[in-house]
Amino acid sequence: MSFSIKTKNELARITPENVCCQLAELGAMIRMDGTIKISPGKGLSLQVVTESAPAARKVFKLLKELFQVPGEIIVQRKNRLKKNNVYVVNIPSQPEVKNILDKLGIMDANYNINPEIRKDLIDSECCQRTYLRGVFLGGGSVNNPEGTYHLEIITADQIHGLQISNLINNFDLNAKLVSRKKWWVVYIKGSEQIAGFLSLIGAHTAMLDFENVKVYKDMRNKVNRLVNCETANLTKTVDAALRQVECINSISRTIGLDKLSPGLQQIAKLRLEYPDTSLKELGEMCEPPVSKSGVNHRMRKIEKMAEDFKKRK
Ligand SMILES: [Zn+2]
């Protein structure tokens, strides 16, 4: 199950306590996923289409409790390519549908669609949160935190998109709006922002999952950085040792190692014998022992000599 669907299932199981919030969430879901049909003589009918069974049940339950309308949930298999079922909450033609749409601020008494969210639907903070939960349930998706951090809500209307992003940004988050073909996309980037939004709309389990994966991911990055760093250091050490061996060999070919001072001679012979030992360990093998920086100093002298010979040639 995708992270999006998991998150939506969690959100769909939350029932708002207050009637104000119930209206806000239902209004959001119907504005996002609803279709209104006019049949002459019979009035309006309403269909709300969703791929989430719990979301369909929620719409159905809210419609029933708030407006006592008879309806049904129809399960459809979209087509053979899409494996997800589609759930349609169907409220057949009846006079009450017009009243519902009016009360939720979606359509006025003259059958005009209101582009803006009805003000009293999102008056208080509790309703603003539940409205956002509704739009996320209706048209939202969120990437699995193991991938890139991205959450979006797709709506058909620019004004609605703008209102959604303003609502989100009023909670100190940073949502942006872009057009995508004939749609408007409100999106949020960044792990902290997304976790903040999930928590705002009540998806606490999803938020925890999100943060856990993030902690794990950060840790893994840190470990990778450490490993890369150690590998880099190791490569550097090996490169340095190879260079030293080369220099010592060239000195040995030109003037011979026995022409070196006893200190340099000792370190040169040890290096040839132990090409993959660290400078510190080479120092410990010396008689008397030499510090790492002492060994380093001697190695530099040897390298310098080898270079000078090379130049003279
Ligand atoms: Zn409320």
Side-chain angles (χ1 to χ4, degrees):
M1 194 186 288
S2 77
F3 189 68
S4 253
I5 292 182
K6 246 169 83 179
T7 306
K8 285 189 180 182
N9 286 351
E10 182 188 0
L11 292 172
R13 290 195 174 91
I14 305 167
T15 308
E17 261 177 53
N18 307 330
V19 173
C20 61
C21 297
Q22 291 175 358
L23 286 167
E25 190 163 357
L26 181 63
M29 291 178 79
I30 291 181
R31 191 181 277 279
M32 296 296 286
D33 290 340
T35 310
I36 305 160
K37 281 187 192 146
I38 307 175
S39 2
K42 282 199 239 160
L44 301 175
S45 70
L46 172 69
Q47 277 86 38
V48 182
V49 181
T50 169
E51 288 190 0
S52 155
R57 279 198 294 274
K58 183 178 214 169
V59 171
F60 184 74
K61 194 175 154 212
L62 288 174
L63 276 169
K64 212 153 204 181
E65 284 175 8
L66 291 164
F67 299 102
Q68 292 83 42
V69 281
E72 59 192 335
I73 297 180
I74 304 160
V75 185
Q76 288 177 349
R77 211 166 247 279
K78 213 173 194 177
N79 59 47
R80 262 179 294 164
L81 293 174
K82 282 223 171 186
K83 55 180 193 275
N84 290 346
N85 284 339
V86 173
Y87 303 87
V88 184
V89 179
N90 181 41
I91 309 296
S93 305
Q94 53 199 296
E96 182 62 9
V97 171
K98 191 161 180 256
N99 178 36
I100 294 170
L101 295 173
D102 184 33
K103 193 129 193 226
L104 297 176
I106 292 167
M107 199 176 78
D108 67 16
N110 299 318
Y111 298 96
N112 296 315
I113 299 287
N114 297 327
E116 290 185 32
I117 307 168
R118 187 173 159 159
K119 275 209 175 64
D120 57 0
L121 209 61
I122 47 168
D123 253 351
S124 31
E125 200 198 295
C126 58
C127 302
Q128 291 166 7
R129 286 166 184 257
T130 45
Y131 193 89
L132 288 174
R133 180 159 70 218
V135 291
F136 184 82
L137 271 174
S141 62
V142 54
N143 280 7
N144 189 318
E146 278 163 27
T148 49
Y149 299 124
H150 182 87
L151 180 147
E152 66 179 36
I153 297 160
I154 298 181
T155 176
D157 187 86
Q158 184 179 12
I159 294 173
H160 193 219
L162 207 58
Q163 284 193 304
I164 293 170
S165 67
N166 286 341
L167 267 179
I168 295 173
N169 293 341
N170 282 343
F171 287 98
D172 278 334
L173 291 166
N174 185 19
K176 297 210 169 78
L177 181 69
V178 287
S179 64
R180 185 188 295 160
K181 290 177 186 165
K182 55 178 186 138
W183 301 94
W184 290 89
V185 182
V186 179
Y187 68 90
I188 302 175
K189 294 265 184 205
S191 63
E192 267 169 47
Q193 292 277 320
I194 293 172
F197 180 77
L198 291 175
S199 145
L200 180 72
I201 60 175
H204 299 295
T205 308
M207 188 207 72
L208 286 179
D209 281 355
F210 202 87
E211 294 203 319
N212 284 341
V213 173
K214 188 186 172 294
V215 167
Y216 173 74
K217 219 164 126 179
D218 288 350
M219 189 104 90
R220 198 177 48 195
N221 285 342
K222 212 179 264 172
V223 168
N224 280 345
R225 265 202 302 279
L226 279 178
V227 168
N228 287 340
C229 189
E230 273 171 16
T231 314
N233 280 339
L234 198 63
T235 316
K236 249 197 235 161
T237 314
V238 170
D239 284 349
L242 284 175
R243 201 178 57 233
Q244 290 155 7
V245 169
E246 230 171 78
C247 291
I248 294 163
N249 281 335
S250 96
I251 292 172
S252 153
R253 279 194 307 268
T254 45
I255 57 164
L257 292 183
D258 48 355
K259 292 278 171 4
L260 294 175
S261 70
L264 295 186
Q265 214 180 109
Q266 190 181 24
I267 220 71
K269 283 181 177 162
L270 280 172
R271 175 47 95 205
L272 289 182
E273 200 173 337
Y274 304 100
D276 49 6
T277 300
S278 71
L279 294 184
K280 186 170 169 267
E281 285 169 310
L282 280 185
E284 283 160 6
M285 289 179 208
C286 287
E287 281 290 335
V290 181
S291 68
K292 184 187 164 188
S293 71
V295 177
N296 196 25
H297 182 71
R298 290 183 192 184
M299 281 299 184
R300 287 244 201 87
K301 268 191 180 166
I302 292 174
E303 287 181 44
K304 174 108 197 338
M305 283 175 83
E307 261 171 47
D308 288 345
F309 287 137
K310 215 192 249 171
K311 274 181 208 155
R312 255 184 263 165
K313 257 197 271 176

